[in-house]
Amino acid sequence: MKNHDKTKDELINELTELRKRLAKLEGERGGTQPDITEKKKAEAALKESEEKFRDLAEESPNMIFINQRGRVVYANRRCEEIMSYKREEFYDPEFDFITLIAPEFRDLIRSNFRRHTEGHEIAPCEYALITKEGKRIEAIITSKLMKYEGENAILGIVTDITQCKKTEEYLKKYRFMVESAHDAIFLKDLESRYIIANNKALEAFGLSREEVIGKNDYELMPNREEAEKNVADDQYVYKTGKPTEVTKHMTGVDGRECWFQAIKVPQFDDKGNITGLVGIARDISKEKRLEKELEKHREHLEDLVKERTEQLKEKVAEMERFIDIAVGRELKMAEMEKETESLRSKGH
């Protein structure tokens, strides 16, 4: 009844207001749908991204894990293979990931973990792991902050460098052996460039390692003739594919002269192709000096013998002359005595 009492203008105004409210409600209802759609798209993209990550992680040769709030929430197949733990063991709420770390590295890893939780990025570092069987694994860990299932987490990528460490130790021992040798040891490529040279080889050149490595004999040796001889010996080894022994004279940049007895051996790759040579050269300068001195002594002795021989020849000749004179005198005396005797005989 009250609506009948309202004027036409009042009814029009009320209708307009109702339409505005209706339009607003429809707008709010229509705006909700895109929000829901975008959320679903984001969830689908996140799920797809996680699936791709898992696919890649499972094929990786490295150990990959995700740590969230101090718990391992993901470990790839390589984690199981190398560490000998099942994933269920990694994921157990009671599992303490610190037990995987070698004791001497636990403080470092705890510190890095704490800094990660504070939002800091950490540089890759070397450490050691202990497997379920107690085997030690040398490794490098690279860790990164990330979001996992909507929460902060730490992504870890662990590279097993145990074999690299063993090789490194072997190379250290090998280098110590090479550097401790009393002979010059070197490795050259097909262009006669020095790839490796031990201290004795550097000493022969009178140069530092930086000055020698990567250069050939023409660039290192002040005497071009000696450099040509060295390179020619190298080429002979490359041409024949056989070891060769040489005796060579070498003048260093400091003017010091040396003699070496060297052997050069071709180096082959897995396919049998020559890739360079290994040389071992023994300093025989002392022996050469002794030889030279002995030669001088020999020549001196020969001169003395020759001189003495001449002196003896002169003495012999003198004696022969003396004997000739003495014999001639004796013969004359004998003749005279004979003549005297003959005259005496005739006088009687």
Side-chain angles (χ1 to χ4, degrees), residues 19-35:
R19 283 177 177 173
K20 286 181 180 180
R21 289 181 182 178
L22 181 61
K24 186 178 179 181
L25 288 171
E26 286 178 350
E28 289 176 354
R29 191 177 299 166
T32 303
Q33 187 64 33
D35 290 344

Side-chain angles (χ1 to χ4, degrees), residues 35-301:
D35 290 344
I36 295 171
T37 302
E38 289 301 321
K39 186 177 179 181
K40 286 184 177 179
K41 285 182 179 179
E43 288 176 350
L46 180 61
K47 185 178 180 182
E48 183 180 358
S49 177
E50 288 179 354
E51 288 175 354
K52 286 181 179 179
F53 164 77
R54 288 177 184 273
D55 289 342
L56 290 171
E58 290 304 313
E59 296 302 319
S60 173
N62 298 317
M63 291 185 280
I64 297 176
F65 67 88
I66 296 175
N67 188 306
Q68 200 170 54
R69 297 189 304 277
R71 283 184 54 200
V72 178
V73 293
Y74 172 75
N76 72 343
R77 176 174 50 83
R78 287 295 285 165
C79 289
E80 289 185 299
E81 292 173 351
I82 294 176
M83 300 303 294
S84 301
Y85 287 94
K86 297 295 183 183
R87 295 193 204 205
E88 294 75 16
E89 293 178 281
F90 284 124
Y91 301 160
D92 190 314
E94 300 299 318
F95 185 80
D96 183 4
F97 76 93
I98 291 295
T99 60
L100 301 175
I101 315 300
E104 66 270 28
F105 291 102
R106 288 178 183 176
D107 288 343
L108 171 66
I109 297 303
R110 285 193 184 99
S111 175
N112 287 352
F113 180 77
R114 184 173 61 256
R115 292 185 64 198
H116 262 319
T117 58
E118 293 170 356
H120 299 290
E121 293 292 357
I122 305 296
C125 65
E126 290 189 20
Y127 74 135
L129 296 166
I130 305 298
T131 68
K132 194 174 184 179
E133 290 87 5
K135 180 182 176 183
R136 185 184 177 93
I137 303 291
E138 302 293 335
I140 293 178
I141 181 169
T142 302
S143 53
K144 197 81 175 171
L145 293 171
M146 67 174 294
K147 287 286 184 181
Y148 183 73
E149 294 183 351
E151 294 186 25
N152 291 334
I154 300 169
L155 171 67
I157 300 174
V158 181
T159 304
D160 183 352
I161 60 169
T162 305
Q163 191 57 47
C164 292
K165 281 284 187 180
K166 288 180 181 177
T167 303
E168 190 177 290
E169 284 300 313
Y170 173 80
L171 289 175
K172 282 182 182 177
K173 292 175 182 177
Y174 185 80
R175 182 170 183 176
F176 176 76
M177 179 182 69
V178 170
E179 292 299 344
S180 300
H182 292 292
D183 297 334
I185 300 174
F186 53 88
L187 177 67
K188 299 173 83 172
D189 65 13
L190 295 176
E191 301 299 322
S192 287
R193 291 185 293 251
Y194 288 85
I195 307 303
I196 295 173
N198 73 344
N199 289 332
K200 282 293 181 181
L202 302 176
E203 188 180 306
F205 283 115
L207 298 168
S208 68
R209 198 178 307 278
E210 291 72 21
E211 292 172 309
V212 170
I213 300 304
K215 294 180 182 177
N216 61 35
D217 294 294
Y218 292 113
E219 299 171 289
L220 297 172
M221 300 176 73
N223 187 310
R224 187 169 182 82
E225 187 178 338
E226 292 175 354
E228 287 177 352
K229 176 71 167 61
N230 253 7
V231 173
D233 292 338
D234 295 346
Q235 292 304 315
Y236 178 80
V237 172
Y238 299 146
K239 184 178 179 180
T240 63
K242 296 179 180 179
T244 184
E245 290 190 30
V246 295
T247 300
K248 60 179 184 176
H249 180 268
M250 183 174 172
T251 306
V253 293
D254 54 2
R256 191 167 67 94
E257 296 186 26
C258 298
W259 280 92
F260 287 94
Q261 183 70 41
I263 181 169
K264 295 183 176 182
V265 180
Q267 182 187 31
F268 298 90
D269 62 17
D270 294 338
K271 295 180 181 178
N273 300 312
I274 295 177
T275 58
L277 64 79
V278 176
I280 301 175
R282 175 158 294 180
D283 189 342
I284 58 169
S285 304
K286 189 180 290 185
E287 289 83 347
K288 279 289 183 181
R289 283 194 294 271
L290 287 172
E291 280 182 15
K292 197 170 183 180
E293 288 177 12
L294 286 171
E295 181 65 21
K296 285 182 180 178
H297 284 303
R298 187 182 66 79
E299 289 175 356
H300 179 61
L301 285 171

